Amino acid sequence: QAEIDAMVELLRAELGLEDGELVQLAVLFEQESWGKVAFTPAAVNALVWDDTIVVAEPFGPEIDGSDGLRDELRERLSGVGSGLGFAGDGLEVRFADAWWYHLRGGQVHCATNQHGPPTWRWWEPNP
């Protein structure tokens, strides 16, 4: 947690972020011989368009039929109090199974066209 706190403070200082502009989300880490690696897929590597966000399914432990990590993501990102989205009313949260990419060091953005549709007529020869 001390390492995360230090990184958050660096981001605040370098980018001039206020507390209300940061959304902290839970991620479980495990220690490898060379450093720490995310055990759960990271929601920060998401796909956002308009008022919708697609985050990796966290595959957290189910307790009483509910995934606490999934519930926490939805609550923090979709609530009116989050200030997120065009009107500040929160985002529509969708989950994607990105486990295959997660195991190979990637996340949701690795499996999607995050830049949207092309703005040129790609089927025609370049001038």
Side-chain angles (χ1 to χ4, degrees):
Q1 185 62 50
E3 291 177 37
I4 292 171
D5 291 342
M7 286 185 242
V8 168
E9 288 308 314
L10 178 63
L11 285 171
R12 285 182 194 186
E14 294 293 323
L15 301 175
L17 297 173
E18 301 293 326
D19 284 341
E21 296 175 292
L22 298 170
V23 178
Q24 294 192 30
L25 302 170
V27 176
L28 300 175
F29 293 94
E30 64 182 338
Q31 185 68 44
E32 295 290 336
S33 60
W34 48 270
K36 291 180 179 69
V37 65
F39 183 73
T40 56
V44 71
N45 291 318
L47 172 65
V48 180
W49 76 91
D50 293 331
D51 280 345
T52 301
I53 184 168
V54 179
V55 295
E57 180 69 53
F59 296 106
E62 288 208 12
I63 300 171
D64 295 328
S66 182
D67 180 332
L69 294 176
R70 189 179 219 263
D71 295 345
E72 184 73 11
L73 281 168
R74 189 178 305 281
E75 181 181 323
R76 289 185 182 235
L77 299 175
S78 68
V80 173
S82 71
L84 299 172
F86 290 122
D89 295 335
L91 299 169
E92 177 186 351
V93 181
R94 296 184 181 198
F95 294 92
D97 182 347
W99 191 253
W100 188 89
Y101 293 95
H102 172 68
L103 291 177
R104 288 152 183 81
Q107 298 297 333
V108 169
H109 64 95
C110 298
T112 60
N113 179 7
Q114 67 182 17
H115 298 292
T119 57
W120 69 96
R121 298 172 66 93
W122 56 269
W123 58 90
E124 294 180 354
N126 288 333

